[in-house]
Amino acid sequence: MTGRCRPIAALAVALWMCAAAVGAHAAGAQEQAAKDYAEAAKALSAGDTAGASKALSRIIESAQSPPAILVTAYFSRGAIYHAKGNLDAALSDYDRAIALRPDYGDVYVNRGNARYAKGDKAGAAADFDKAVEHAPFSALAFNNRGYFFLAEGDPVKATADFDRALNLSPKSPEILCNRGMARLMRDDPQGALLDFQAAIDLSPQNAMAYRGRGLAYDALGQKERGAADLAKSKELDPRLADPGPAKK
């Protein structure tokens, strides 16, 4: 796809879940697990994923960890493995988290992303469906299923999911950019332009938003404005390649 649309991983949600679990189990026989979770949350906040992984592994290896903390330990450690590109280890932890809590929508989101990265499209599709089933008010779930549809060449279904995601999280530049790309693929550059402009208004240094707006301007015949935005996007993120034409 042009425009470098992307899914949104749930690592930040894992950190939030850590903090919630600590508050629920701060006293009693499982105090050590709560302390380890607090350490993991603190390490993640500081960007110390190695330290967070060690603390989470202590929880996982302990026979005393309560299920509410254990499930989020697997999810959080899996998200760290995922971010580092170790998909097999991530999938193993996601599987264990789901076995402990089969209705945990955010784990399905991340496992779907990992499965798709491994080339398991059927498994990814099933996980994204489970995510929206178990988390019907999650913008994350709808965005990631929309991204899947977009990557598989179905911008109509993608747009429907991005619409639902934006109803839940209307100020997300990432979701606006994703819907903008879906609209470009549907030959709706005017609608795409509105989405990319909204993303820029919310996030003025968003390289993908400028890239998408440049593509929309180009599709509308405004070549100079398109070229300026594409140059701006590469200035903000030199990794962005020169785009090809938007495809249906």
Side-chain angles (χ1 to χ4, degrees):
M1 285 180 297
T2 61
R4 288 176 60 121
C5 295
R6 56 175 179 263
I8 301 173
L11 181 56
V13 177
L15 177 60
W16 178 85
M17 290 300 297
C18 290
V22 171
H25 296 276
Q30 294 82 25
E31 185 176 355
Q32 184 57 50
K35 287 180 178 178
D36 286 333
Y37 237 132
E39 182 180 331
K42 183 178 179 180
L44 277 176
S45 295
D48 178 12
T49 55
S53 289
K54 288 180 182 178
L56 294 168
S57 293
R58 288 198 299 271
I59 295 166
I60 289 167
E61 292 161 7
S62 170
Q64 302 299 317
S65 298
I69 293 182
L70 186 59
V71 66
T72 50
Y74 277 123
F75 175 30
S76 299
R77 191 177 70 172
I80 292 170
Y81 285 139
H82 195 162
K84 291 181 176 295
N86 189 345
L87 296 178
D88 289 332
L91 285 166
S92 177
D93 275 357
Y94 294 151
D95 287 346
R96 292 173 181 177
I98 288 171
L100 288 166
R101 185 178 162 188
D103 65 343
Y104 201 162
D106 286 337
V107 187
Y108 286 107
V109 170
N110 276 21
R111 193 174 72 172
N113 290 339
R115 283 178 162 177
Y116 192 73
K118 292 274 290 183
D120 179 8
K121 295 181 181 181
D127 274 348
F128 292 132
D129 284 344
K130 282 286 188 181
V132 299
E133 174 188 343
H134 292 301
F137 300 105
S138 169
L140 182 80
F142 283 107
N143 175 78
N144 281 264
R145 191 175 69 171
Y147 174 85
F148 170 80
F149 286 137
L150 194 59
E152 290 301 296
D154 192 338
V156 175
K157 287 185 178 179
T159 302
D161 272 351
F162 294 143
D163 285 345
R164 297 180 76 174
L166 285 167
N167 283 337
L168 295 162
S169 183
K171 294 187 177 181
S172 168
E174 292 83 4
I175 302 173
L176 283 163
C177 284
N178 285 350
R179 189 174 69 177
M181 287 310 303
R183 286 175 161 177
L184 277 180
M185 291 176 69
R186 296 179 66 183
D187 288 334
D188 179 16
Q190 190 62 55
L193 185 63
L194 294 175
D195 279 342
F196 293 123
Q197 183 59 61
I200 290 169
D201 290 342
L202 291 165
S203 179
Q205 300 301 306
N206 189 313
M208 193 167 69
Y210 281 102
R211 178 183 173 84
R213 193 176 71 172
L215 293 172
Y217 277 137
D218 188 74
L220 289 166
Q222 300 181 44
K223 305 297 183 182
E224 290 186 6
R225 299 181 78 174
D229 271 355
L230 293 172
K232 177 69 172 179
S233 73
K234 290 189 69 175
E235 175 188 329
L236 292 168
D237 186 352
R239 296 170 298 176
L240 292 177
D242 291 329
K247 297 178 181 179
K248 261 187 165 179

